[in-house]
Amino acid sequence: MSRDKHKLLRVDPERLWRRHIDMSKLGSTDRGGVNRAALTIPDVELHLELASWARERNFEVEIDDYGNQFMRRAGSEPQCHALVSGSHSDTQPTGGRFDGISGVLAAMEALEVIDDAQICTRHPIEVVVWNNEEGTRFSPSDMGSAVYVGQTPIERMLAATDDEGVSMAIAVNTLRASIDWAIERQLGTPISAYLELHIEQGPILENENIDIGIVTGIQGTRKFEVRITGEEAHAGTTPESNRQDAFMDAVKVVNALQEIFFDPEDKVRFTIGRFEVSPGSLAVVPGHVLFTIDFRHPENTVLQILGDQIAEVCKKTATRCTTQVVETRSAPSTLFGNVVQEVIEECAKQRTYSFKYLPSGAGHDARYMNSFCPTGMVFVPCRKGISHNEKEYASPDSLAKGAQVVVDSLLMLDGLI
Ligand SMILES: [Zn+2]
């Protein structure tokens, strides 16, 4: 197949857009967003829908022990491992219509366009839907990709439970039962290269009117749970001097943490996204506080130095209560290799799309895949950079250009690797 013939392959922008709209109905919210936590009913429905599309075209469907789903168009050379593209299908509780699913739909579009053109690729090409990327239903937010490549032990992840006490193991069984004809996929099955399309989730591409972001790497992150334990007491009878008020100590701890994480260069990302006071009763001095810390930075030394201070700061600052700090997840900054980045650039140039190299502030499954096989990411612009928000929006044109680069890049990688 010549390069010129490849150039004739065109994604179908209308089909791609319609699928975004259809998928957004699974878990849709009143305010135009999506609430689709990992392997809830709408998420399982979405997996089934994708599997049905695959089946119609005789693509194989595979599910691994953690619930990652693969849809595979066969290649011609048995010794070639798959070229894989995709992303995740779960969302934040007030998530948008594009985060994650756009990467899955772009990859599916690629498979279908290649199939329609009856191109015989050397490598199998696969669409992947990684399980539990957002981590809102099952904590910690370790990703299906991390389990797949062996960076996180599967036993611990399968034992995680949601608020109703349902374990990930049960949720994965629900998925398997819904697609009981899917083939078993071994975790860690080799992959030749991984390419993930994602909305940028930042404002740079839109501000500079750029079509395609070529992602250079992903900044590192450390996540913590902080527990502050005092003593519950009667709000009317207990004098201030006798209290072990977990909330009051937590306020001091948060202020102290804010001070050490203050960064004049504004590169530190420090977020307390969850803060629970218990027992949460008007007339009871709180005996317990739990809060989370999400800390990110592009430099691994800063991640280490600041992150390692958290436990000490909590202990020193909480004068009346005890503190416990548990690190729930840690991932260093990652730089993608050149191979896939250069392929993306070449493909963007061939289509005369504007492009820009940029790092990712958000975490993605590609972080874990990078330790496993040549990996790269395509960013497409999203309106005002808004994401993890029901207002999230990417235009049909941006999505189509991104998907086109995914098709072209997979075919170029097929001839290259
Ligand atoms: Zn995402």
Side-chain angles (χ1 to χ4, degrees):
M1 162 93 13
S2 74
R3 184 170 279 189
D4 286 347
K5 193 163 175 207
H6 282 173
K7 277 185 88 172
L8 297 175
L9 291 191
R10 291 272 176 192
V11 299
D12 180 343
E14 276 166 33
R15 172 171 63 187
L16 186 63
W17 180 252
R18 192 178 63 243
R19 285 180 169 176
H20 276 86
I21 300 307
D22 287 346
M23 290 306 203
S24 74
K25 290 173 187 158
L26 300 171
S28 62
T29 62
D30 293 343
R31 295 195 297 173
V34 178
N35 177 9
R36 191 170 54 226
L39 301 188
T40 50
I41 291 168
D43 192 39
V44 170
E45 278 176 24
L46 184 148
H47 281 73
L48 181 57
E49 182 78 1
L50 287 165
S52 323
W53 297 345
R55 200 181 204 185
E56 279 168 25
R57 288 183 179 260
N58 287 322
F59 301 156
E60 276 181 347
V61 178
E62 299 182 341
I63 297 176
D64 69 24
D65 283 347
Y66 189 68
N68 299 312
Q69 180 169 316
F70 298 80
M71 285 143 291
R72 173 189 186 93
R73 182 174 186 270
S76 63
E77 293 187 17
Q79 77 279 13
C80 288
H81 302 305
L83 300 167
V84 180
S85 183
S87 190
H88 60 96
S89 59
D90 61 335
T91 71
Q92 292 290 323
T94 52
R97 297 175 292 167
F98 304 92
D99 178 357
I101 191 64
S102 290
V104 174
L105 293 177
M108 184 53 92
E109 183 67 26
L111 242 66
E112 298 200 10
V113 166
I114 292 167
D115 198 52
D116 285 339
Q118 298 179 317
I119 292 175
C120 180
T121 57
R122 293 169 55 231
H123 302 72
I125 302 186
E126 296 180 341
V127 178
V128 63
V129 190
W130 299 113
N131 186 19
N132 194 34
E133 196 268 358
E134 300 287 1
T136 53
R137 181 178 174 200
F138 297 101
S139 180
S141 66
D142 269 284
M143 303 170 186
S145 49
V147 173
Y148 187 82
V149 304
Q151 284 205 9
T152 305
I154 185 168
E155 296 75 21
R156 185 157 66 92
M157 294 299 105
L158 288 177
T161 52
D162 68 8
D163 290 343
E164 262 94 60
V166 178
S167 69
M168 176 61 96
I170 290 173
V172 171
N173 282 341
T174 307
L175 174 67
R176 281 182 185 280
S178 307
I179 315 173
D180 59 0
W181 43 273
I183 299 164
E184 169 94 27
R185 167 86 160 211
Q186 293 301 314
L187 291 168
T189 301
I191 289 172
S192 284
Y194 177 68
L195 176 65
E196 179 167 355
L197 175 142
H198 206 281
I199 57 168
E200 183 200 343
Q201 304 181 289
I204 295 167
L205 297 177
E206 185 185 62
N207 285 349
E208 299 181 22
N209 205 13
I210 305 273
D211 299 319
I212 298 294
I214 304 172
V215 183
T216 52
I218 297 177
Q219 73 176 344
T221 180
R222 296 180 73 179
K223 301 189 197 306
F224 301 86
E225 275 181 7
V226 180
R227 288 170 202 278
I228 299 184
T229 308
E231 182 80 33
E232 289 170 23
H234 194 294
T237 58
T238 317
E240 203 280 326
S241 54
N242 276 22
R243 292 186 182 200
Q244 287 175 267
D245 185 328
F247 175 73
M248 290 303 179
D249 262 6
V251 169
K252 287 194 284 179
V253 165
V254 169
N255 282 331
L257 288 172
Q258 235 186 336
E259 251 170 62
I260 70 157
F261 279 91
F262 174 73
D263 173 19
E265 289 181 57
D266 207 8
K267 276 166 37 184
V268 163
R269 300 284 177 267
F270 175 80
T271 305
I272 295 175
R274 193 169 153 198
F275 194 98
E276 295 170 5
V277 182
S278 42
S281 176
L282 181 75
V284 180
V285 175
H288 194 258
V289 164
L290 164 74
F291 68 89
T292 56
I293 296 173
D294 179 314
F295 166 40
R296 306 182 200 209
H297 199 279
E299 290 155 43
N300 287 324
T301 46
V302 178
L303 276 177
Q304 192 186 340
I305 291 167
L306 284 181
D308 287 355
Q309 288 181 45
I310 292 175
E312 188 58 31
V313 168
C314 293
K315 197 172 159 198
K316 242 179 23 203
T317 316
T319 46
R320 295 191 188 176
C321 301
T322 57
T323 60
Q324 188 199 12
V325 178
V326 176
E327 183 159 11
T328 52
R329 199 154 81 77
S330 166
S333 275
T334 306
L335 287 176
F336 295 140
N338 292 333
V339 179
V340 184
Q341 290 184 59
E342 284 165 10
V343 164
I344 298 168
E345 176 179 332
E346 181 61 28
C347 293
K349 276 183 184 159
Q350 282 181 10
R351 297 279 173 186
T352 65
Y353 299 158
S354 54
F355 63 90
K356 180 188 176 86
Y357 282 85
L358 78 175
S360 172
H364 297 288
D365 291 289
R367 181 206 299 281
Y368 295 100
M369 297 314 292
N370 194 41
S371 63
F372 190 71
C373 62
T375 291
M377 285 191 81
V378 172
F379 272 176
V380 294
C382 59
R383 188 190 282 160
K384 293 187 179 146
I386 292 172
S387 184
H388 285 188
N389 187 314
E390 290 164 293
K391 286 191 241 148
E392 189 180 85
Y393 178 81
S395 73
D397 181 57
S398 295
L399 294 166
K401 283 177 174 158
Q404 187 65 60
V405 169
V406 170
V407 179
D408 295 352
S409 297
L410 288 170
L411 288 174
M412 194 176 282
L413 285 165
D414 186 54
L416 201 72
I417 290 183

